[in-house]
Structures are given as structure tokens and as C-alpha cells.
């Protein structure tokens, strides 16, 4: 029987714990919220809790850090003395440079692989966790320069067991891409919600389309504060380009430039429709 | 048997034709796309097509203009000589000032009510039309100052027949509110799609949340060009406030102002979560 320790039982950690337990793994876990930990134990997902200073970690095959990204590096340092038996150590954060650099600095190159299962939406926490979350999902894997092929392969197998698809990418390329494909949409949705709030508009006044655009705004503020702080450089670049697109559009409307407005909508619509099932 | 003429068989006109036909109404119609007209006839929704210069309109109880907003005022002028028997004339456009002003100028105060069924999403056209589209939907009604109560009541009854909820509002208040609740989310989604296109990101690279934010970008460019041109004043105000929210957020990230970033996410998330079913 394989065993895993999951530190942090939110949406991703909780879902991972559920899936591995469903596959017959022995799952131990920890969460800083005692109620969450108790709920996970009562549900039968956890075989046992880790001790308050995480004793019990020494005996597992796989250790997964599933905490907000700003807590990852420090937690990894705290865990290091107990990682002896773990053949594989993963994190599951949405940014990869800081945690990979920390793993490198701690000399964890023989067992660490940064991972980012790209599964989130606006929901968060243990209450939102569920089996099958990773089914069909993309999981980015960022090995360290020193990660042995066999360890990377072990990480791949873990995610393939849960029917996810894996994609190996450098931590820097990951953070650059996700600034656009994930962090910018989150910031846009949150900024729109902020503007609507300022204008005195209630969520109930939006139509179906507007609810789609603002849905992400409900995401966990703590999680996202950490993500954009860590990925500040790329995120700021993405925001700056979006601000230019919006300002262009506003000026076209101000000057009643019908051709330019139509061109912007056509470009956006062609791009978005490339996504539709044919 | 009641009868209606629907001019324009897109998402809203087509769905309205389907619903009224399903309620046993005699429905005649017109669309500038001959294929759409033929499809609507073959599906049994239309009893007959109106002639190319809309002869046949004289005999119906209700006339509905369901064309892009920039075509509405001119169409209303063309129709006016044939509106004799129509006890009720409606449009269904997303902006209301221009069409209501035109109806007023044409002396249609005895039969016209501006209407906006708030049902759209990114889909458009006859192919997207369906029965039940208006079920549970809000429909804004903008009577003219001279619209008799009995005519407004008739408009209400028509929409209540389709299980929609009606809300009477002035054309100006409607356009001011919808600039925020509908036009701004559309512009944001389109601008984000444009920025992602510029950055070389494909729609397939987005996660579930990013797909939500960009879904509206697939909306019909022609329809939306007309809407933002007509509602330019209010739309520009909304865009300018959103640009300030984005620039503030970007500056907070640039200066690593964790408290300010968190406050923005918390504000957005509280607003968005007020929308969730409890």
C-alpha cells in the first residue's frame, strides 16, 4: 500500500486526499484549521492526522504541500528534517519559482518536483474539495535541474493515476504563462467586481454573461494575494497590456470610431470562438 | 387567436417567435437572412413570412422589432405606415434611449413600449434561439410618457405569458444601469480576449475560471458595436472607473503592498459572494 502525507486540506489538498484514499492509499494529513482536520478524519479520507509538528511524516512515500503559495517555502524548510523516507515531495501551488528555488536551496533535488494542477475556479477550501477534481485536468510539473528522471516519472504516475495530463515546464516559463492564462483573468474579474461595487451595482443586477465574467471574483483573497505578490513581475506586465487594450477601446468609443470598435470585437470574438467545440 | 409579427429572427426574436407559436399565436416574421427565414418557416414557428417590404404587418396585434440596436430607429420609421392595427409595438434592444426617442418623434405614443429582455449571453442568431429563453428572466419595460396604462399592461401580460418578470424603468435610467451591469462586463471580456490574443495565449490554455471570464468575448461583434456606440457616454464612464481599479491594483502589486492587494481581493470577493445561493 502506498502512503501520502497532505499538508493543507483545501480545494486541491483535500481533493487529492480524497482521490488517493479512494485508490486505497494510506493518507495522513494536516490542516491549520482543526475543524477541517476533524471533518477530513470523520469522512474517512484521512487514516490519521499528523502531529502538530508534523511527526509521522517520516513514514510516507509521498509528501504534498498544499498550502497558499506564500507559506510554501517556509513550510518546506520546516519539513525538510522529516522528509527522509519520502521518495517524492510535491507542492501544488499556482506559482512555481519561489518553491522550486527553495527546494533547490534546501538540497531537495533528489525528491522534489514542483506541481501545479490547473483545476481551480472561484471555489476554495475543504468544503469545495471532491473526488475526480483532477480527472482530465492539466498538471504542470517543474522538476529541479537535479531531479532524477525516475522521480519525475513517479510524479507523472501519481497524476496519471488520477487521470490528469502532465506537462513538464520550467518554473519560470510556467509563471510567465500563468500570469496571462490564470492570474490576469482573476485580476480582471476582481477589478470588475470592485468597480461594480463602487458604482452601486449588485451582483443580482447582472445577466448571465456578466455573472460569468465576475464569477472568479469570489475566489479566496488570501490565496490570490500570495499568488500575485509572488508573480508580481509577469502579472504587472499582463495588467499593463490589458489596461492599454481597455484604454484603446474607450477612446474608440469616445470618438465614435465604429470601424475600430468593430475590429476589436471581431478580434476578441474570433479568438474566443476558437475555443468552442466544433 | 392572437398574432405577432417578429422582425429579426436572431436569439431574442427567434426565441420569442418560438414561444409565441408554442402558445398558439399566429406568428409572421422577417429576417434579412433568407436562410434563417426559410429555417424558421420549415420549423413551423412562422405561419408566414412578411413580404420584402413587410406587407402583412397591417393585420397583426403585436409587432416586435428584434434587430441590432443601430438598425432599430430607421426600421421603426419604415414600419410606421403599416402599424395601423398593431395594438402594441415593442422593440427588444439592449439600449433604450434612441429607439424610445424615435418612437416619440414618430408619434407612436399610443402603442409603443421599449422592452429589453435581459437574457443574452455569448450566443447569438436563430441557431441559438430556443423556447423557454425568457422563463424567469427580467424584462425591462420603458414606456413613453404618452404610453397609455392599458398598452403598458398589454406589454406586461405578453412577457408574463412567457414567465418573464417585468420591471418598468425610464430609458435613460435603463441605459445608465446597463452600462455597468451588461456593457462593461462585455467590454472587459472582449478586451481581455484581445490582450490574451496579443500575448500569444490560446483559449485552450485557460483554466475553468479564465474560460468563464472570456466567454462573453465570443458575442456577436455587430450587435455589440451598435450597443456601445449608442450608449457611448455611460459606457465610457464605466470603462474609465474600471481602468482606475486596474491601475490601482497594478500599482499595489508593483509596490508589493500586501495589505492593499488583499483589501481589493476581499472587497471583490465579498461583493461576488453576495450573489451566491445561501
Amino acid at each position: 500500500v502506498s502512503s501520502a502525507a497532505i499538508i493543507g486540506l483545501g480545494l486541491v489538498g483535500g481533493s487529492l486526499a480524497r482521490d488517493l484514499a479512494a485508490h486505497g492509499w494510506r493518507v495522513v494529513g494536516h490542516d491549520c484549521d482543526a475543524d477541517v482536520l476533524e471533518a477530513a478524519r470523520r469522512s474517512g479520507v484521512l487514516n490519521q492526522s499528523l502531529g502538530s509538528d508534523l511527526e509521522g511524516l517520516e513514514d510516507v512515500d509521498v509528501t504534498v504541500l498544499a498550502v497558499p503559495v506564500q507559506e510554501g517555502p517556509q513550510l518546506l524548510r520546516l519539513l525538510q528534517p522529516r522528509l527522509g523516507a519520502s521518495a517524492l515531495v510535491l507542492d501544488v501551488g499556482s506559482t512555481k519559482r519561489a518553491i522550486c528555488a527553495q527546494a533547490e536551496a534546501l538540497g531537495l533535488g533528489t525528491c522534489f518536483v514542483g506541481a501545479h494542477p490547473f483545476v481551480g475556479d472561484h471555489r476554495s477550501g475543504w468544503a469545495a474539495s471532491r473526488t475526480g477534481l483532477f480527472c482530465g485536468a492539466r498538471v504542470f510539473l517543474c522538476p529541479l535541474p537535479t531531479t532524477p528522471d525516475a522521480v519525475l516519472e513517479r510524479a507523472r504516475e501519481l497524476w496519471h493515476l488520477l487521470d490528469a495530463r502532465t506537462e513538464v515546464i520550467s518554473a519560470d516559463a510556467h509563471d510567465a504563462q500563468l500570469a496571462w492564462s490564470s492570474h490576469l483573468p482573476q485580476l480582471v474579474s476582481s477589478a470588475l467586481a470592485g468597480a461594480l461595487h463602487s458604482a452601486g451595482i449588485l451582483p443580482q443586477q447582472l445577466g448571465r454573461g456578466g455573472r460569468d465574467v465576475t464569477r472568479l471574483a469570489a475566489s479566496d483573497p488570501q490565496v490570490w494575494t500570495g499568488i500575485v505578490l509572488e508573480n508580481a513581475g509577469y502579472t504587472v506586465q499582463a495588467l499593463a497590456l490589458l489596461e492599454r487594450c481597455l484604454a484603446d477601446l474607450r477612446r474608440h468609443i469616445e470618438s465614435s470610431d465604429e470601424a475600430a470598435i468593430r475590429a476589436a470585437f471581431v478580434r476578441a470574438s474570433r479568438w474566443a470562438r476558437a475555443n468552442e467545440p466544433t
Side-chain angles (χ1 to χ4, degrees), chain A:
Chain A
V1 174
S2 301
S3 58
I6 318 280
I7 323 289
L9 297 166
L11 173 69
V12 173
S15 298
L16 191 56
R18 289 176 190 275
D19 273 352
L20 292 176
H23 277 87
W25 285 42
R26 185 173 72 87
V27 180
V28 301
H30 185 72
D31 196 277
C32 56
D33 183 331
D35 291 342
V36 164
L37 199 56
E38 180 55 26
R41 286 175 60 102
R42 269 189 285 110
S43 69
V45 167
L46 293 192
N47 289 70
Q48 63 175 105
S49 306
L50 291 167
S52 60
D53 59 347
L54 301 174
E55 62 267 22
L57 204 60
E58 294 84 352
D59 307 322
V60 300
D61 305 310
V62 179
T63 297
V64 181
L65 280 68
V67 297
V69 293
Q70 68 271 41
E71 299 170 21
Q74 197 188 343
L75 178 61
L76 194 58
R77 189 161 52 77
L78 287 173
L79 294 183
Q80 193 206 9
R82 300 195 183 272
L83 290 175
S86 278
L88 178 63
V89 179
L90 297 170
D91 84 308
V92 294
S94 295
T95 49
K96 300 265 63 83
R97 278 175 298 171
I99 192 74
C100 287
Q102 174 75 315
E104 186 87 46
L106 293 170
L108 291 172
T110 54
C111 61
F112 184 85
V113 178
H116 174 204
F118 196 22
V119 294
D121 54 24
H122 58 291
R123 294 169 286 186
S124 58
W126 167 259
S129 72
R130 53 201 185 270
T131 54
L133 179 67
F134 309 103
C135 182
R138 252 172 313 160
V139 177
F140 298 100
L141 294 181
C142 304
L144 306 184
T146 47
T147 304
D149 286 349
V151 170
L152 177 58
E153 191 52 35
R154 202 166 286 158
R156 270 212 196 88
E157 281 166 6
L158 175 71
W159 292 107
H160 293 171
L161 177 70
L162 311 183
D163 292 320
R165 297 170 290 142
T166 56
E167 186 178 329
V168 174
I169 187 171
S170 76
D172 187 67
H174 171 277
D175 289 1
Q177 180 186 138
L178 274 284
W180 294 97
S181 61
S182 171
H183 311 166
L184 183 61
Q186 176 64 53
L187 287 162
V188 165
S189 188
S190 294
L192 175 59
L196 292 173
H197 177 68
S198 295
I201 298 289
L202 299 172
Q204 293 77 5
Q205 292 179 277
L206 271 58
R208 194 179 289 135
R211 285 196 299 271
D212 278 348
V213 186
T214 53
R215 188 165 297 123
L216 264 192
S219 298
D220 186 321
Q222 185 62 15
V223 166
W224 277 97
T225 300
I227 292 171
V228 300
L229 275 173
E230 187 187 322
N231 205 22
Y234 289 125
T235 300
V236 161
Q237 284 176 32
L239 277 170
L241 176 59
L242 177 74
E243 286 174 61
R244 285 199 297 279
C245 289
L246 279 167
D248 287 346
L249 205 40
R250 174 175 48 76
R251 280 188 288 263
H252 297 326
I253 298 172
E254 278 170 337
S255 58
S256 296
D257 187 342
E258 183 170 350
I261 297 168
R262 184 181 293 108
F265 278 130
V266 165
R267 205 166 78 107
S269 135
R270 283 203 184 124
W271 181 89
R273 289 182 189 192
N275 200 21
E276 287 178 2
T278 50

